[in-house]
Amino acid sequence: MCGHSGRWVVRGSTGSGQNAGISTPRQTDLVTRYGDTWYLIEAKWEKDPVDVSVFDAVRARMQRAASSSVVGVIISVSGFRKSAVEDLVQQRAGRPILLLGEEELTRSFDSPELLVNLLRLKQEALVVHGRVHRVSAPQIERAVRPSTDLEAADVRLVDAALRPIPYVRGRGDFSDHVYTQELPDVDWVTGGGSGVSLDLPIRAFDEDGIAELLYALASMGWTTTQPRWNIQQATTNWHGIGAWEFLDSLRAWEQRVDGLDRVHHTEQITYFDVCQGGGFYTLSADVASDESRIVRRCNISFQLVGVPVDPHPFRHLFEQFDATAAGYFFRPLATRAVIHRRAARDVSLEAVGYLVASDPFSLDPTEIQPVEDSSDAVPEDWVTGIIARNPFRGGADLPAPEDWPARAHTSELLVCDLRSHHPLDKFPDAYRLDSWQHAQTNDAQAFRPVADW
């Protein structure tokens, strides 16, 4: 098993090997080495929490080790007694013992490359700060925060008959793409150089953990009134707008999948929003399609115009969700962040729904002159985008243009920004594809198709 800067070397548990003294006279579950550090690992698969006697036994075997660079690791699926943890902190001046709970062990199975950083973080917390880092314990029942704590979208979705709809449903698969209303180009700055990315796994055990992440992003000013999202099943996608609306739709999973011919055991989510100061982020996750709503994977990926002068908001976010175990780095983008293309030929779009905003120009009522003819009045509702059938969907007669995002080929629908807005009560004769932009993050594709009339 390879790590970031070294390789794990495993010794058997029979007492043989370079450090046989570690495991005598009692058998040890596992002895392994990473770099110059040896780890003596004891695993407890019992119903009761581990007590201080196990800690003492591990310390005794560590004292017999031929190497001075030995770190103890105790794994327990039932947690650890408080008295044992307190004793561990008091005796941290000797050779350290690190603790792994069931959730941390499971996460290590999913992402083994993160294990070495997690162990280093635990050792630093114990030796330097005198605390045991994130020992897993039985989950405490917490109140579910309402979606109304988040911003509602300032754009609404309507179908072809202008009836409000919570989201747009169409055929599709697991494509990890999301349509956007705007796509900031982090390379579009006056200075030289390129934008940077920041990619981290987030610790979110279930869909309420994803909700907590959204609340944290909102508290830092990183949630707008127009985030875009896509919830994906094996044969169906749900596209929507707004953090509030996203959380409601995520939680109403049984209602969404009701009537589907096939429900996959996991659904994928892709969420997009812009950052203050320039840039954007995508949030992606795999969520179990059952009552547990367990999150098997959750990642957040930032693309920014540069390395922030003050990185503390990022550090606070990642520490809150235990993402620092992965280590985090701002990495310069090797290629252009956003691809811009214009349609080289006339492609008609069939609208099956609309994105509607109330007076997007925000005129001051005191500046509007009274008019006698109502036809000259300022419209209250404007169409700012359209929901169109994808003319390039797999199997269509019309070939996709060059640089058309591959992940959009399987989507039945396009959610297009409208270059020229028009009143809701004055529809044009036809819509056409004008241009598109797309950007690739660590595990998602942000796509902004633009229509005109």
Side-chain angles (χ1 to χ4, degrees), residues 126-147:
L126 178 64
V127 176
V128 178
H129 304 291
R131 61 182 177 85
V132 175
H133 175 264
R134 297 303 294 262
V135 176
S136 299
Q139 297 253 348
I140 299 175
E141 193 72 24
R142 63 177 182 266
V144 177
R145 293 180 61 177
S147 60

Side-chain angles (χ1 to χ4, degrees), residues 75-264:
I75 302 170
S76 173
V77 297
S78 299
F80 305 87
R81 294 195 182 279
K82 182 179 179 181
S83 58
V85 174
E86 292 173 348
D87 179 76
L88 176 66
V89 173
Q90 292 173 0
Q91 300 196 45
R92 70 183 186 276
R95 293 178 177 178
I97 297 177
L98 312 179
L99 309 182
L100 277 177
E102 182 179 8
E103 291 87 355
E104 292 167 322
L105 179 63
T106 302
R107 189 170 183 84
S108 297
F109 288 152
D110 294 338
S111 304
E113 71 277 4
L114 304 181
L115 179 58
V116 64
N117 282 321
L118 176 61
L119 293 176
R120 286 171 176 169
L121 183 66
K122 285 177 173 290
Q123 185 170 350
E124 178 184 351
L126 178 64
V127 176
V128 178
H129 304 291
R131 61 182 177 85
V132 175
H133 175 264
R134 297 303 294 262
V135 176
S136 299
Q139 297 253 348
I140 299 175
E141 193 72 24
R142 63 177 182 266
V144 177
R145 293 180 61 177
S147 60
T148 50
D149 286 356
L150 298 169
E151 288 269 10
D154 60 5
V155 173
R156 62 187 187 273
L157 296 169
V158 299
D159 62 15
L162 306 186
R163 295 170 299 197
I165 51 178
Y167 43 68
V168 181
R169 171 176 162 173
R171 291 188 295 273
D173 59 12
F174 298 118
S175 57
D176 287 331
H177 77 284
V178 59
Y179 297 117
T180 72
Q181 188 267 338
E182 61 175 309
L183 187 53
D185 191 337
V186 298
D187 294 324
W188 195 257
V189 293
T190 56
S194 61
V196 298
S197 65
L198 179 62
D199 306 304
L200 277 191
I202 294 294
R203 188 183 178 98
F205 293 115
D206 54 25
E207 69 177 20
D208 288 331
I210 294 177
E212 290 297 329
L213 176 58
L214 291 179
Y215 300 137
L217 292 167
S219 69
M220 297 176 184
W222 292 345
T223 298
T224 69
T225 57
Q226 290 196 28
R228 298 295 181 90
W229 46 269
N230 182 8
I231 303 176
Q232 304 148 38
Q233 262 285 341
T235 60
T236 306
N237 290 176
W238 295 266
H239 307 278
I241 305 174
W244 172 347
E245 293 79 0
F246 166 72
L247 190 52
D248 278 348
S249 299
L250 181 66
R251 287 170 169 167
W253 68 275
E254 290 178 298
Q255 178 182 341
R256 280 190 291 103
V257 302
D258 185 35
L260 293 184
D261 294 334
R262 176 190 172 198
V263 178
H264 195 269

Side-chain angles (χ1 to χ4, degrees), residues 379-399:
E380 294 184 357
D381 293 322
W382 291 76
V383 175
T384 62
I386 65 170
I387 305 154
R389 298 196 185 280
N390 184 358
F392 311 119
R393 185 168 184 258
D397 295 333
L398 190 64

Side-chain angles (χ1 to χ4, degrees), residues 196-413:
V196 298
S197 65
L198 179 62
D199 306 304
L200 277 191
I202 294 294
R203 188 183 178 98
F205 293 115
D206 54 25
E207 69 177 20
D208 288 331
I210 294 177
E212 290 297 329
L213 176 58
L214 291 179
Y215 300 137
L217 292 167
S219 69
M220 297 176 184
W222 292 345
T223 298
T224 69
T225 57
Q226 290 196 28
R228 298 295 181 90
W229 46 269
N230 182 8
I231 303 176
Q232 304 148 38
Q233 262 285 341
T235 60
T236 306
N237 290 176
W238 295 266
H239 307 278
I241 305 174
W244 172 347
E245 293 79 0
F246 166 72
L247 190 52
D248 278 348
S249 299
L250 181 66
R251 287 170 169 167
W253 68 275
E254 290 178 298
Q255 178 182 341
R256 280 190 291 103
V257 302
D258 185 35
L260 293 184
D261 294 334
R262 176 190 172 198
V263 178
H264 195 269
H265 58 73
T266 301
E267 60 183 19
Q268 295 181 357
I269 64 171
T270 310
Y271 181 97
F272 173 96
D273 209 346
V274 299
C275 301
Q276 289 183 343
F280 61 88
Y281 63 86
T282 59
L283 165 64
S284 60
D286 296 340
V287 185
S289 301
D290 56 44
E291 293 182 356
S292 72
R293 301 300 281 164
I294 291 174
V295 174
R296 299 187 174 93
R297 173 191 65 91
C298 183
N299 295 303
I300 189 167
S301 180
F302 290 88
Q303 288 198 7
L304 309 170
V305 295
V307 178
V309 175
D310 179 13
H312 287 90
F314 293 94
R315 185 172 183 84
H316 173 73
L317 176 68
F318 300 145
E319 287 180 346
Q320 179 179 349
F321 293 92
D322 201 29
T324 51
Y328 62 92
F329 308 94
F330 293 99
R331 303 182 66 243
L333 298 172
T335 58
R336 287 202 59 84
V338 179
I339 303 299
H340 302 259
R341 292 290 183 267
R342 296 195 67 86
R345 62 179 187 268
D346 191 26
V347 177
S348 298
L349 296 175
E350 177 190 354
V352 295
Y354 306 94
L355 285 68
V356 180
S358 297
D359 190 13
F361 301 111
S362 301
L363 295 177
D364 186 343
T366 62
E367 298 177 358
I368 302 176
Q369 299 296 324
V371 293
E372 296 182 1
D373 186 353
S374 60
S375 62
D376 293 331
V378 177
E380 294 184 357
D381 293 322
W382 291 76
V383 175
T384 62
I386 65 170
I387 305 154
R389 298 196 185 280
N390 184 358
F392 311 119
R393 185 168 184 258
D397 295 333
L398 190 64
E402 184 180 359
D403 283 331
W404 184 260
R407 296 190 183 186
H409 281 302
T410 60
S411 179
E412 178 187 10
L413 301 174

